[in-house]
């Protein structure tokens, strides 16, 4: 997830405006930055690796002439952070400049085609193909906007782009497909940006581009057209009533809630990961002697859930291990036959890296799953996958957890296919259901959020909570517990439900809240038994159930519903959403700041 910006000013230089707008977009990505302006039909570009302040100190981002320009702050997905991979990218003639937010899935095939036509590529990014495609279209005589239209029609994936060209120096052309894009309209200027915060101090009216729409920004304002049939779209600007602080959270009161709501988009991104890395990692897992899934905190819970997926789908036994215990628990057994799949959204957690380092020294194979390209984990991994969730600002991991689960389940499915452990029909069915998960998460947030708010209000004064689940849901229970504990400071205990009667049940008394995860899977009969055990001791049962599950509805004091049609092995993704919301609203009820819980850090880089 990157931030793009563009502006056409009646007077004055665009560069300082672009610089400050990118600062307001920096939470979207901060590993490299760049801008381009047009002056006397010449394209002027400044870009480099590093945070905006660092690049500004080196290159002075305010010092570029021209009243028309575009800018970009990057969260690397394809091609490590570097000057050559920073945006804007240009075509062979350096007459066209493009900034992009999103993922071009078919960029490798397009690149090969364009190279055969003689185009020379500078960077390792997916974005650069767009510049050369526009160049191809324009060399056929098309005006800029139609050339951009022709180019984006060749693209698969998600994109918000802004384009400058020296042949039409009075315009910016921008297009949206899935990645967000908004126009800002002011008396003496017009802007385009990944979101409203970028131009909020400059314009109080905005126009949101819909998927498949192209915007042409000119001195006299903007024109919108549909990419499909090139028909004109009329849309009046709407007044924006946000404070800048609010804007950075896109109208959400906290980053955590914003990131919970971003999960459908992030999950769609995980379904577009580069085939070759998924395949390569699957091959390494297939060849592995033994596999350790190593991580901390929420990432460890993703590993625990994955151990059920690998076993059930691919009959691969894996060892989920809390990183800080790895050396003590398995250190001496690790050898050249061992494979470590280290999971870390930051890619910088010291305990996880220490476990990896120990194993590397014993010739083990290191695989990495992270959300941060160019993080240390990417550098020590034989193969790594970047999960494309974009920056996560809230200290408590939410969107990165469900994205980790999506990637891990895809690996388990691929391994099952490679090993022929389950039938093709089953694999196709699971793949189709995985594609459907982003919509299901959308529905859960829409249909259950209000109910969760009421639950948080009802149980806000409770001293302690239980989270119980069976099978893969025991991982979801642990994650639900961690969220409530770390965000709302509510003492909470999670157990595989079967284990609860071997001790923890002694805590239960009348009104004691017990959260049960009850997907309709092979554990259903026994989970109903556990609910009865807790009810017999007066517990208040909060059940996360599949829609229309009348039996458990009848047993529960409160319940939250998950849409039908999900294979049990993928249930941790949707079933954790209500638990994330419960922790968030419980923190609000207790007047706590969900974004900055006490004593915690987003990434602990000390052991
Ligand atoms: C903790 C964070 O510091 O580190 C947790 O507060 C996170 O949210 C854990 O799950 C592990 O972080 P990472 O970056 O290795 O996934």
């Amino acid at each position: 997830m990157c931030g793009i910006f563009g502006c056409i000013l009646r007077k004055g230089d665009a560069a300082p405006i672009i610089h400050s707008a990118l600062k307001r977009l920096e939470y979207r990505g901060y590993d490299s930055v760049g801008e381009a302006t047009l002056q006397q039909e010449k394209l002027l570009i400044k870009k480099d690796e590093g945070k905006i302040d660092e690049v500004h100190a080196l290159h002075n981002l305010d010092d570029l002439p021209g009243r028309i320009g575009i800018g970009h702050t990057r969260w690397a997905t394809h091609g490590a952070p570097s000057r050559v991979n920073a945006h804007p990218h240009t075509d062979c003639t350096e007459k066209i400049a493009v900034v992009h937010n999103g993922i071009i899935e078919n960029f490798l095939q397009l690149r090969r085609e364009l190279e055969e036509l003689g185009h020379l590529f500078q960077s390792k990014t997916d974005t650069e193909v767009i510049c050369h495609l526009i160049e191809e279209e324009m060399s056929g005589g098309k005006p800029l906007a139609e050339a951009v239209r022709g180019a984006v029609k060749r693209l698969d994936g998600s994109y918000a782009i802004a384009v400058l060209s020296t042949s039409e120096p009075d315009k910016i052309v921008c297009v949206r497909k899935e990645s967000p894009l908004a126009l800002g309209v002011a008396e003496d200027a017009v802007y385009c940006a990944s979101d409203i915060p970028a131009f909020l101090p400059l314009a109080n009216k905005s126009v949101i581009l819909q998927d498949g729409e192209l915007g042409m920004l000119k001195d006299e304002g903007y024109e919108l057209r549909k990419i499909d049939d090139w028909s004109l779209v009329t849309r009046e600007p709407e007044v924006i009533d946000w404070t800048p602080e609010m804007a950075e959270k896109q109208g959400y009161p906290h980053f955590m809630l914003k990131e919970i709501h971003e999960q459908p988009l992030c999950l769609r991104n995980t379904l577009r990961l580069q085939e070759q890395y998924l395949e390569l990692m699957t091959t390494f897992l297939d060849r592995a002697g033994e596999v350790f899934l190593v991580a901390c905190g929420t990432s460890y819970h993703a590993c625990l859930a994955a151990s059920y997926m690998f076993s059930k789908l691919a009959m691969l036994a894996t060892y989920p291990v809390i990183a800080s215990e790895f050396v003590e628990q398995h250190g001496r057994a690790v050898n050249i036959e061992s494979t470590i799949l280290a999971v870390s959204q930051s890619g910088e957690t010291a305990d996880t890296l220490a476990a990896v380092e120990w194993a590397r020294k014993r010739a083990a194979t290191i695989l990495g799953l992270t959300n941060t390209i160019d993080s240390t984990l990417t550098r020590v991994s034989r193969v790594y996958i970047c999960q494309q969730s974009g920056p996560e600002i809230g200290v408590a991991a939410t969107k990165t957890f469900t994205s980790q689960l999506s990637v891990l389940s895809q690996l388990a499915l691929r391994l099952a296919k490679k090993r022929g452990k389950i039938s093709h029909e089953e694999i196709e069915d699971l793949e189709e259901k995985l594609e459907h998960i982003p919509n299901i998460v959308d529905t859960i947030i829409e249909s259950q959020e209000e109910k969760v708010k009421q639950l948080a209000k009802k149980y806000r004064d409770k001293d302690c909570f239980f989270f119980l689940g069976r099978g893969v849901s025991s991982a979801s229970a642990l994650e639900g517990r961690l969220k409530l504990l770390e965000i709302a400071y509510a003492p909470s205990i999670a157990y595989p439900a079967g284990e609860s009667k071997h001790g923890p049940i002694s805590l239960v008394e009348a009104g004691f809240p017990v959260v049960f995860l009850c997907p309709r899977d092979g554990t259903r009969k026994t989970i109903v038994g556990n609910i009865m055990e807790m009810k017999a001791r007066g517990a208040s049962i909060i059940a996360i159930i599949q829609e229309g599950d009348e039996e458990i509805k009848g047993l529960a004091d409160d319940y939250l519903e998950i849409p039908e049609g999900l294979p049990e092995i993928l249930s941790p993704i949707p079933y954790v959403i209500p638990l994330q919301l419960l922790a968030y609203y419980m923190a609000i009820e207790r007047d706590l700041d969900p974004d900055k819980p006490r004593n915690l850090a987003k990434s602990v880089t000390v052991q």
Side-chain angles (χ1 to χ4, degrees), residues 296-299 343-347 349 352 395-397 404 486 600-604:
C296 299
T298 291
S299 298
V343 178
S344 169
Q345 84 85 21
S346 62
T349 297
T352 305
V395 168
Q404 284 165 346
E486 68 181 337
L600 292 180
K602 184 68 193 159
S603 175
V604 179

Side-chain angles (χ1 to χ4, degrees), residues 8 39 44 104 163 179 184 234 286 291 337 344 358 367 375 392 422 462 476 578:
I8 296 189
Q39 175 77 342
L44 308 165
I104 308 300
V163 183
S179 300
T234 44
D286 187 33
V291 178
E337 300 299 320
S344 169
W358 173 280
L367 308 174
S375 57
E392 186 173 63
I422 54 178
K462 291 293 178 183
S476 315

Side-chain angles (χ1 to χ4, degrees), residues 88-106:
H89 289 286
T90 58
D91 66 314
C92 300
T93 65
E94 300 211 344
K95 289 197 167 81
I96 299 164
V98 171
V99 291
H100 164 231
N101 168 34
I103 301 165
I104 308 300
E105 281 167 45
N106 59 340

Side-chain angles (χ1 to χ4, degrees), residues 279-293 310 314-319 333-342 363-367 382-383 411 415 418-419 421:
E279 217 28 56
L280 200 51
M281 195 172 282
T282 306
T283 307
F284 274 101
L285 288 168
D286 187 33
R287 288 200 208 124
E290 66 205 344
V291 178
F292 297 97
L293 308 173
F310 283 120
M315 297 171 194
L316 171 71
T318 57
Y319 306 96
V334 174
N335 58 54
I336 193 159
E337 300 299 320
S338 312
T339 292
I340 311 298
L341 174 45
T365 302
I366 308 298
L367 308 174
R382 183 80 176 272
V383 181
L411 288 171
L415 197 55
K418 192 184 264 302
R419 291 179 161 199
K421 293 298 180 189

